[in-house]
Amino acid sequence: MKQKHLRIRIEQCLALSKASNCPRRKFGALLLDPGRNVILMDGYNGGPRGGGTLCGGEVCLRDELKVESGTRMEIGCHHAEMNVICNAAASGVATRDAWIIVTGEPCMMCAKLIHHAGITRVIVVDGGYGGANGVSYLEGHGVEVIKTEGPRDPRSFT
């Protein structure tokens, strides 16, 4: 995939993240066919499909309970990576040998999903989520991880 096309896909992913209804952080994910330079599926973080409420209603339960990032995965939104992979599965779209663009480093749970879905490259819009993550898991299991420029996570400036 040409660099200019990748840059456009990153911009699309950042725009998609704005659809999230999470009050804490907005994430987007795009599943790509790198050979044809097409978007296969998209996803973003938020509440359950069909209009279900967020884990804490109008507030982020992770923030309210002061839950450390990367822990207690039963609390929080459905992650963008989870949604894009599930959207692909529900639509019969193959994920093997696809690439995924994400607007923050995948957590360990999402890293495992990415690896087992056969995705070969993860492009992380650098400056996103900086907590405990699954990048080392991905790299250790042969998934290429590339960080690229992007907006900074506002929580990292204290």
Side-chain angles (χ1 to χ4, degrees):
M1 180 178 295
K2 292 181 180 178
Q3 195 62 33
K4 73 175 187 175
H5 294 136
L6 182 57
R7 178 55 63 218
I8 291 167
R9 297 299 184 216
I10 290 168
E11 290 172 10
Q12 289 173 310
C13 192
L14 289 166
L16 174 66
S17 70
K18 295 175 184 177
S20 170
N21 60 350
C22 177
R24 183 175 191 223
R25 179 74 162 85
K26 298 179 182 312
F27 288 95
L30 287 180
L31 188 69
L32 304 174
D33 178 332
R36 296 185 301 139
N37 185 28
V38 295
I39 296 171
L40 298 172
M41 195 57 59
D42 64 15
Y44 52 87
N45 67 320
R49 183 173 307 286
T53 60
L54 294 166
C55 63
E58 297 299 314
V59 298
C60 176
L61 195 56
R62 295 185 75 77
D63 283 345
E64 291 290 307
L65 299 176
K66 298 183 180 12
V67 175
E68 183 182 348
S69 291
T71 65
R72 302 227 18 225
M73 299 313 294
E74 76 277 10
I75 298 174
C77 292
H78 296 221
H79 295 187
E81 303 94 325
M82 179 191 308
N83 277 334
V84 76
I85 291 168
C86 290
N87 289 344
S91 300
V93 174
T95 56
R96 183 178 311 231
D97 297 325
W99 293 1
I100 189 171
I101 299 174
V102 292
T103 59
E105 296 174 358
C107 72
M108 182 60 79
M109 177 181 63
C110 288
K112 290 177 180 181
L113 285 170
I114 289 166
H115 169 239
H116 287 277
I119 295 168
T120 59
R121 181 177 288 179
V122 178
I123 300 155
V124 179
V125 179
D126 199 19
Y129 174 70
N133 64 70
V135 169
S136 61
Y137 174 90
L138 290 166
E139 292 172 335
H141 288 85
V143 178
E144 184 179 9
V145 178
I146 297 172
K147 292 187 179 183
T148 187
E149 293 179 14
R152 303 297 301 174
D153 182 341
R155 294 177 295 149
S156 66
F157 299 115
T158 55

